[in-house]
């Protein structure tokens, strides 16, 4: 156990409280093999399937979450529709009164499932990721022959049955030239009330299980400058949005690691391990809820807000940087990149600085942690 975790653990008192959110990764397996993915295992991985929680174990977790006042569960993966008991788990959650947010690639949406979602709606729009507008681009990302036709069929079935869903994109070399086409198509979908969002500053594999895949993910990330050009295509709107964001979310920097509210919600992985969020996989912040309970996991994570950094570079830079809240640096990103909770992620630091310079918050060569009064400038 690391020193900063040990200090908090010794001082923590059990405080069982309301469970604000629940994410369940029903499986790590996926029928796609996306070039940028930070989690996926092959759909036919029998060893992974054998380790996954049983239907009864997931239903028990859902009961506990309901007793703790949780109102919504997110089913994700991998591809959650790969689970043969997905329908049972969906209906069980709905009977408990949960809103059910389903993250899916839509490939396995068939007539039966679309009809089910129409008859017993999830009460929150499903989220479907689109990897390209054409077979060539889509399957260059998914590396799965036939996946594009299945994706389009799934989307068409959701539309035919009037099931609410939104689409989002992953901006990658095979599909970067299709942004305008993708956004035009998304604008025709009945439940899209805003332009689609994109992933482009991709996370590494937070299981820390495959350095070769991490190298591929790094090569697919957009440069900070290209990311800015995409974010600021409408310069006036971008400036207004960032000014509002800064006034709400750019806090006063300090050496606390968790400033995001982590600990009020839980992520349960496919094997019954609870973490504060999807990205933090550090063993010292993991509770096996098959041998304990969600309440015990909440107790364990109740003092995350007290955890302090000890990394000297983090203390020199991040702990005093006024871009905190604007930069995506967090324990989850640090864990994926470095296997620690408090090592600065250089890529994210540069992404934040490129945007701050464009917005006029910083000079051409200034480092934010050396500038006083930057937060007031940003607002």
């Amino acid at each position: 156990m690391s020193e900063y975790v040990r200090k908090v653990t010794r001082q923590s008192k059990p405080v069982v409280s309301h469970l604000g959110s629940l994410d369940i990764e029903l499986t790590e397996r996926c029928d796609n093999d996306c070039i940028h993915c930070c989690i996926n295992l092959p759909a036919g991985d029998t060893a992974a399937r054998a380790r996954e929680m049983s239907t009864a174990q997931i239903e028990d977790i859902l009961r506990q979450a309901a007793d703790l006042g949780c109102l919504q569960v997110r089913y994700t993966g991998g591809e959650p529709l790969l689970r043969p008991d997905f329908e049972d788990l969906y209906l069980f959650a709905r009977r408990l009164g949960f809103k059910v947010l389903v993250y899916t690639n839509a490939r396995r949406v068939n007539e039966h499932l679309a009809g089910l979602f129409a008859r017993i709606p999830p009460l929150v729009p499903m989220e479907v990721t689109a990897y390209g507008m054409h077979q060539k681009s889509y399957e260059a990302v998914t590396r799965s022959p036939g996946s594009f036709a299945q994706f389009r069929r799934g989307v068409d079935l959701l539309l035919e049955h009037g099931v609410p869903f939104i689409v989002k994109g992953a901006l990658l070399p095979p599909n970067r030239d299709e942004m305008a086409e993708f956004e035009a198509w998304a604008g025709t979908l009945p439940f899209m009330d805003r332009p689609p969002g994109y992933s482009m500053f991709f996370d590494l594999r937070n299981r820390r299980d495959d350095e070769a895949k991490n190298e591929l993910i790094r090569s697919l990330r957009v440069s900070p400058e290209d990311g800015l050009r995409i974010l600021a295509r409408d310069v006036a709107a971008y400036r207004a949005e960032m000014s509002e964001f800064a006034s709400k979310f750019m806090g006063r920097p300090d050496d606390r690691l968790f400033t995001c509210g982590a600990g009020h919600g839980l992520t349960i992985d496919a094997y019954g391990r609870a973490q504060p969020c999807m990205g933090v996989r550090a063993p010292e912040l993991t509770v096996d809820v098959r041998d304990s309970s969600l309440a015990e996991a909440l107790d364990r994570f109740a003092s995350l807000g007290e955890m302090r950094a000890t990394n000297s570079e983090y203390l020199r830079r991040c702990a005093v940087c006024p871009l905190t809240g604007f930069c995506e640096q967090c324990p989850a990103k640090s864990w994926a990149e470095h296997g620690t909770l408090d090592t600065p992620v250089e890529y994210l630091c540069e992404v934040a600085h490129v945007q701050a310079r464009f917005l006029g918050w910083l000079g051409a060569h200034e480092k934010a942690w050396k500038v006083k009064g930057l937060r007031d400038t940003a607002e």
Side-chain angles (χ1 to χ4, degrees):
M1 184 180 294
S2 59
E3 184 60 27
Y4 39 74
V5 175
R6 187 180 295 113
K7 289 178 181 177
V8 170
T9 303
R10 284 199 296 262
Q11 298 169 0
S12 298
K13 297 179 181 180
V15 184
V16 176
S17 61
H18 172 78
L19 177 60
S21 62
L22 177 67
D23 297 329
I24 303 180
E25 295 176 338
L26 295 182
T27 179
E28 290 187 21
R29 297 173 297 117
C30 188
D31 44 4
N32 286 335
D33 182 25
C34 292
I35 55 179
H36 65 292
C37 188
C38 66
I39 176 176
N40 65 310
L41 295 176
D45 189 327
T46 55
R49 178 67 185 95
R51 293 174 51 220
E52 291 169 6
M53 287 187 290
S54 67
T55 307
Q57 288 171 326
I58 296 173
E59 289 177 349
D60 181 56
I61 286 171
L62 291 167
R63 289 190 198 95
Q64 293 180 55
D67 290 342
L68 290 168
C70 188
L71 300 176
Q72 178 172 301
V73 60
R74 173 165 52 176
Y75 283 157
T76 183
E79 172 50 54
L81 301 189
L82 272 176
R83 289 272 307 213
D85 58 355
F86 173 82
E87 181 176 345
D88 294 334
L89 294 172
Y90 175 78
L91 291 173
F92 190 85
R94 289 293 292 111
R95 290 189 192 104
L96 287 174
F98 285 104
K99 297 177 181 179
V100 182
L101 174 56
V102 180
Y103 276 19
T104 181
N105 59 34
R107 286 182 57 188
R108 291 178 176 261
V109 173
N110 54 28
E111 186 74 37
H112 175 75
L113 276 179
L116 173 68
F117 294 139
R119 292 192 311 274
I120 306 172
L123 302 182
V124 60
M126 300 172 65
E127 297 197 13
V128 176
T129 305
Y131 298 110
M133 293 303 297
H134 304 278
Q135 179 181 357
K136 182 178 180 180
S137 56
Y138 189 98
E139 295 182 4
V141 172
T142 66
R143 297 187 290 196
S144 180
S147 56
F148 177 71
Q150 292 171 341
F151 153 72
R152 290 307 298 252
R153 178 176 180 271
V155 166
D156 287 344
L157 284 169
L158 294 175
L159 289 170
E160 289 171 15
H161 287 269
V163 178
F165 71 96
I166 63 172
V167 294
K168 52 193 178 181
L171 202 59
L172 291 154
N175 62 32
R176 281 181 191 160
D177 293 337
E178 298 175 357
M179 286 181 64
E181 186 179 2
F182 172 54
E183 291 174 4
W185 172 69
T188 68
L189 302 177
F191 300 99
M192 290 291 294
D193 58 358
R194 65 189 66 183
Y198 294 96
S199 298
M200 54 183 168
F201 305 120
F202 301 112
D203 292 341
L204 300 187
R205 294 181 71 87
N206 48 43
R207 275 77 173 165
R208 299 190 56 77
D209 59 355
D210 194 323
E211 184 54 30
K213 287 189 177 180
N214 278 344
E215 282 301 312
L216 175 58
I217 294 170
R218 290 187 186 98
S219 74
L220 296 169
R221 289 168 163 172
V222 298
S223 69
E225 293 76 15
D226 285 344
L228 171 63
R229 280 190 281 271
I230 293 163
L231 292 171
R233 285 179 293 164
D234 183 333
V235 173
Y238 173 71
R239 289 187 182 278
E241 181 182 353
M242 291 301 100
S243 178
E244 182 179 0
F245 182 93
S247 67
K248 291 181 178 178
F249 300 111
M250 283 177 63
R252 302 294 177 185
D254 58 34
D255 62 351
R256 289 177 302 149
L257 284 176
F258 289 91
T259 59
C260 58
H264 298 289
L266 293 173
T267 291
I268 315 297
D269 76 6
Y271 318 112
R273 297 176 300 222
Q275 292 104 10
C277 72
M278 285 190 178
V280 175
R281 303 281 166 171
E284 60 264 39
L285 292 180
T286 299
V287 176
D288 192 332
V289 295
R290 295 170 299 180
D291 299 325
S292 56
S293 68
L294 297 191
E296 289 174 279
L298 279 177
D299 281 351
R300 174 77 173 274
F301 303 146
S303 298
L304 287 180
E306 301 171 23
M307 289 179 63
R308 307 284 171 167
T310 60
N311 179 288
S312 59
E313 193 66 6
Y314 187 101
L315 294 173
R316 183 180 75 85
R317 293 165 45 180
C318 306
V320 296
C321 182
L323 290 180
T324 184
F326 182 75
C327 178
E328 291 189 15
Q329 168 75 39
C330 74
K333 308 291 188 181
S334 181
W335 172 256
E337 299 269 342
H338 301 293
T340 71
L341 300 178
D342 62 350
T343 304
V345 178
E346 297 298 336
Y347 174 68
L348 297 178
C349 182
E350 187 58 24
V351 167
H353 274 73
V354 164
Q355 293 182 65
R357 292 177 186 125
F358 175 80
L359 292 165
W361 301 349
L362 292 172
H365 303 291
E366 286 183 321
K367 297 296 186 181
W369 58 86
K370 296 181 179 181
V371 177
K372 295 182 179 180
L374 184 149
R375 184 176 184 274
D376 296 331
T377 300
E379 294 179 11

